[in-house]
Amino acid sequence: MSRIAYVNGRYVPHRSARVHVEDRGYQFADGVYEVTAVVDGKLVDNGPHMERLDRSLRELGIAWPMTPAALSRVQEEVIRRNRVRQGIVYLQITRGVARRDHAFPVRTAPALVVTARHAGPPKAAQVEKGVKVILQPDIRWGRCDIKSVSLLPNVLAKQAAREAEAFEAWLVDTSGFITEGSSTNAWIVDKKGNLVTRHLENAILSGVTRRILVELAVAEGHPIIERPFTPAEAKAAPEAFLTSTTSFVMPVVQIDATRIGSGVPGPVTRRLRALYEAHVQRG
Ligand code: PMP
């Protein structure tokens, strides 16, 4: 079965899906994106993804290409046409096509691309054993709260992780605190059993998985402290984990050369993962 993409109003074969050479996403990374998980053919927590998209667009002064409800119907149609039961749907909105000039063009319609693909859940072995992360300097810009397609520092950090045979890179700001992962939010469990994750601010993306997990954890009575933490604190923590749309709740058992806790996923992390999986299954 050939894949289908949605490009600016048309459903086209994925292999011949094209955008213009003067799309501002291509020339300036002047655009935003969202990735929503698909489970049993249905979108997972797409409402919060649309809310975050609205915020990203507003912060950059890019118009919605269509209403959020219409966009959700396009996402569902792309999922249906690609027969994705388990996977992701990707959407990207750029400021559109215009003669190259840094300042915003006038009267240019935003451009929209939506794709979907099958992706299995995180590998059972990784979930069971936990994963390694490495530390990298956070060299990104000052508005990481916007889900911009400008991802070069994230690409470099993830590549460094790949070369170190690690699952993820956790980024360290110039004050010596961990911000987040290259495509995930970073968490530790402190010695008192508090869940610690960086507070929402311009230095991190407000992860939808982070948001849902905060709600689920609070409902179960887990104390949460939203504050920055250092690599030293993380390495000494009994448990650590990361969250994202594609990883759900992933135990972290090694940071650089340091083993976390006893080197296996801890009970709090395992409980949180189960809570999140149950949430996803409820749909
Ligand atoms: N931080 C960054 C930098 C990311 O790219 C992502 C993935 N979009 C996340 C955190 C996790 O966000 P979410 O839970 O919405 O996937």
Side-chain angles (χ1 to χ4, degrees):
M1 193 200 76
S2 59
R3 288 179 68 197
I4 301 292
Y6 175 94
V7 184
N8 293 321
R10 293 168 56 216
Y11 294 91
V12 293
H14 191 272
R15 65 177 177 280
S16 55
R18 301 280 183 274
V19 293
H20 196 275
V21 288
E22 286 198 310
D23 188 297
R24 289 177 63 93
Y26 179 59
Q27 291 191 324
F28 296 112
D30 188 358
V32 299
Y33 74 107
E34 282 293 333
V35 178
T36 305
V38 178
V39 172
D40 292 335
K42 288 197 291 266
L43 293 159
V44 178
D45 292 320
N46 202 43
H49 283 283
M50 290 291 121
E51 282 171 31
R52 184 171 65 187
L53 178 62
D54 182 56
R55 183 171 179 284
S56 296
L57 290 170
R58 265 189 293 114
E59 291 296 316
L60 297 179
I62 299 176
W64 277 86
M66 57 180 65
T67 64
L71 180 51
S72 295
R73 282 197 293 277
V74 172
Q75 288 173 300
E76 283 161 2
E77 185 63 14
V78 173
I79 292 166
R80 195 186 66 77
R81 290 191 187 220
N82 289 283
R83 297 197 195 127
V84 175
R85 300 297 303 162
Q86 172 102 34
I88 55 161
V89 58
Y90 175 88
L91 72 84
Q92 174 169 326
I93 299 171
T94 72
R95 201 179 302 278
V97 177
R99 194 178 75 171
R100 190 177 182 281
D101 177 11
H102 287 57
F104 297 176
V106 269
R107 285 190 295 279
T108 291
L112 170 63
V113 168
V114 183
T115 56
R117 69 172 164 80
H118 171 83
K123 292 194 192 79
Q126 287 177 327
V127 177
E128 287 305 313
K129 289 193 187 133
V131 297
K132 169 183 166 185
V133 303
I134 59 164
L135 298 170
Q136 287 284 293
D138 192 342
I139 59 169
R140 300 174 302 163
W141 71 326
R143 291 304 306 275
C144 297
D145 56 312
I146 299 171
K147 201 164 169 57
S148 147
V149 293
S150 173
L151 289 172
L152 197 45
N154 310 60
V155 166
L156 295 177
K158 189 75 95 188
Q159 180 61 22
R162 177 77 45 89
E163 287 171 15
E165 294 180 354
F167 183 83
E168 176 61 304
W170 279 5
L171 307 175
V172 182
D173 67 18
T174 50
S175 307
F177 291 96
I178 290 170
T179 51
E180 60 182 336
S182 70
S183 65
T184 58
N185 287 110
W187 303 64
I188 57 173
V189 181
D190 76 8
K191 295 195 169 75
K192 294 186 183 136
N194 299 308
L195 305 180
V196 182
T197 192
R198 194 171 174 123
H199 57 290
L200 296 180
E201 48 145 348
N202 294 353
I204 68 165
L205 184 75
S206 172
V208 170
T209 320
R210 177 192 181 285
R211 169 175 160 177
I212 301 292
L213 194 67
V214 166
E215 288 170 14
L216 295 172
V218 166
E220 269 232 341
H222 291 278
I224 298 188
I225 305 177
E226 295 181 61
R227 63 161 175 84
F229 56 88
T230 62
E233 186 181 3
K235 287 177 182 174
E239 298 184 38
F241 62 93
L242 54 83
T243 55
S244 79
T245 294
T246 49
S247 299
F248 296 3
V249 175
M250 179 65 80
V252 170
V253 294
Q254 190 180 334
I255 301 175
D256 283 343
T258 307
R259 203 175 70 167
I260 305 305
S262 50
V264 294
V268 178
T269 305
R270 282 192 276 116
R271 175 68 192 145
L272 292 171
R273 182 167 179 100
L275 274 179
Y276 187 76
E277 279 179 351
H279 163 82
V280 167
Q281 291 308 326
R282 277 195 302 274

